[in-house]
Amino acid sequence: MQTNQQQGDGIKVQQQLPIIELGINVDHVATLRQARGTTYPDPVLAAQLAGEAGADGITIHLREDRRHIQDHDLNGMMDEQDLPVNLEMGNTAEMLAIALMLKPAEVCLVPEKREELTTEGGLDVVSELDALRQTVIELKSLGIRTSLFVDPDERQLDAAKNVCADIVELHTGAYANAENQKVQEESLARIVEASSYAEKLGIQVNAGHGLHYRNVEAIARIPEIVCLNIGHSIISRAVLTGMDEAVRTMKLLIVGARNTPS
Ligand code: PXP
C-alpha cells in the first residue's frame, strides 16, 4: 500500500496517494425548487457550476415519490452538462427501465423507504442476491457501471462481489452521526477495514453520506477510496457563501430601479 510520506536515507520523500474524486449530489438544489414549485434553482445549472469548480461527477437520486429530482432533470443532466452522472435509485422495475433508457455512466442502487428523510442504511445485498444480480447484469449489458450502497460489513461486500457489482459505495452515516469520539473512531475503523477488503475483492470503493467540512478528511485519507459523493453539506455551504453576491445584486437592482424613471 502506498503511503504519502516515506523515509529514505533520512530524507522525507513526499509520495502522493492515488487521486481521489468528488461527486456532488445536487438533490438538495431540487429540494429548494420543489418547496416553491418554481423553475429555479436548477439542479442542472448547479451541476454545470460544480463542474467548473472542479467536481468530478454528479449524483442525483430519482426517488419513487419524486420529492426532489424530477424526470425532466434527468434529461437535462444527461444532455446539458458534461460531468458523468451517477443515478441513485431503488431496485424497482420503474427505475430500471428509466436507467436503461438514459444510460448514465453509473447507477448506484440504494434501499428506499417512503417515510425516510434520507437514505438511512445500506442495502441488504445478502438477502436480495437474486434481484440485485438480475439488475446488475441488465445495467452492465448496456455498459452502465453499477454500484451498491452498503454498510461497511464484509458479508455485504462478499455479496456485492457475488452479484458482480463494479463498485461499492460505503455508507459513512454511522461515522458522520456518531454520538461521541469513541463511536466515531470505531466506525472509521470499520470503513478502513471494509475499504481494504473490497479492494482485495477487486471492487472499486466509493463512500458517502453525512460527510461535511469537519469530518471528511479522515475518510479522504483512506487510500482505497476512489470517489466521495457529498451533497447536503456542500449545497448548504453554497447557500451561505453565495449570500453576499445574492444580496448585493438584489440591492443594486431595487436602488437602480428607484433612481431610474420608468
Ligand atoms: N451517497 C448516497 C448513496 C446517498 O444516498 C446520499 C444522500 O442522498 C449521498 C451519498 C450524499 O449524502 P449527503 O447529502 O449527506 O452528503
Side-chain angles (χ1 to χ4, degrees):
M1 180 162 306
Q2 280 183 317
T3 58
N4 65 346
Q5 274 199 338
Q6 286 190 335
Q7 304 267 167
D9 296 333
I11 302 167
K12 276 192 177 172
V13 179
Q14 196 75 27
Q15 196 176 348
Q16 292 297 317
L17 289 171
I19 287 170
I20 185 160
E21 295 182 349
L22 177 60
I24 311 289
N25 181 322
V26 293
D27 292 348
H28 292 293
V29 177
T31 301
L32 198 53
R33 178 192 61 192
Q34 295 309 112
R36 275 290 185 89
T38 46
T39 55
Y40 65 87
D42 178 7
V44 177
L45 180 55
Q48 287 167 359
L49 295 172
E52 286 166 22
D56 301 292
I58 293 297
T59 293
I60 42 174
H61 185 174
L62 186 67
R63 281 185 166 268
E64 187 197 7
D65 64 9
R66 306 300 198 269
R67 69 173 73 159
H68 38 53
I69 293 293
Q70 305 295 302
D71 295 67
H72 66 80
D73 293 321
L74 302 182
N75 299 323
M77 223 44 94
M78 295 301 296
D79 299 340
E80 294 162 31
Q81 64 86 41
D82 297 329
L83 294 176
V85 172
N86 171 30
L87 175 62
E88 248 186 69
M89 58 182 224
N91 186 21
T92 65
E94 181 202 12
M95 292 300 155
L96 180 60
I98 291 171
L100 293 173
M101 188 183 64
L102 281 173
K103 301 190 196 66
E106 280 174 24
V107 162
C108 181
L109 296 170
V110 298
E112 195 177 297
K113 293 195 217 103
R114 252 177 194 269
E115 63 279 12
E116 69 190 356
L117 283 179
T118 181
T119 315
E120 281 166 1
L123 272 175
D124 187 357
V125 189
V126 175
S127 56
E128 291 174 48
L129 277 182
D130 292 340
L132 287 168
R133 188 183 297 106
Q134 187 59 36
T135 299
V136 170
I137 289 169
E138 286 201 50
L139 291 166
K140 285 176 80 148
S141 73
L142 292 191
I144 301 168
R145 302 189 75 223
T146 307
S147 173
L148 302 181
F149 188 47
V150 292
D151 290 321
D153 168 345
E154 288 188 6
R155 286 167 46 253
Q156 299 297 343
L157 300 175
D158 285 332
K161 175 76 179 173
N162 185 327
V163 304
C164 306
D166 302 291
I167 306 167
V168 283
E169 179 167 332
L170 298 178
H171 197 315
T172 51
Y175 161 81
N177 299 323
E179 70 259 27
N180 59 49
Q181 197 182 341
K182 182 170 175 288
V183 176
Q184 189 169 53
E185 280 166 10
E186 288 163 2
S187 299
L188 179 62
R190 275 194 288 280
I191 297 168
V192 168
E193 279 168 30
S195 300
S196 163
Y197 190 76
E199 194 192 57
K200 286 194 190 101
L201 292 175
I203 308 177
Q204 179 179 318
V205 188
N206 294 349
H209 211 283
L211 297 177
H212 55 63
Y213 295 83
R214 281 168 286 108
N215 67 13
V216 74
E217 287 166 304
I219 299 291
R221 286 192 193 101
I222 300 171
E224 294 87 2
I225 292 180
V226 172
C227 178
L228 294 180
N229 289 319
I230 307 180
H232 190 259
S233 63
I234 293 177
I235 304 306
S236 301
R237 190 177 176 107
V239 169
L240 295 188
T241 57
M243 189 61 82
D244 185 88
E245 186 281 329
V247 172
R248 282 176 200 283
T249 302
M250 184 58 83
K251 192 82 194 277
L252 271 176
L253 212 54
I254 65 170
V255 172
R258 182 54 58 94
N259 294 327
T260 315
S262 55

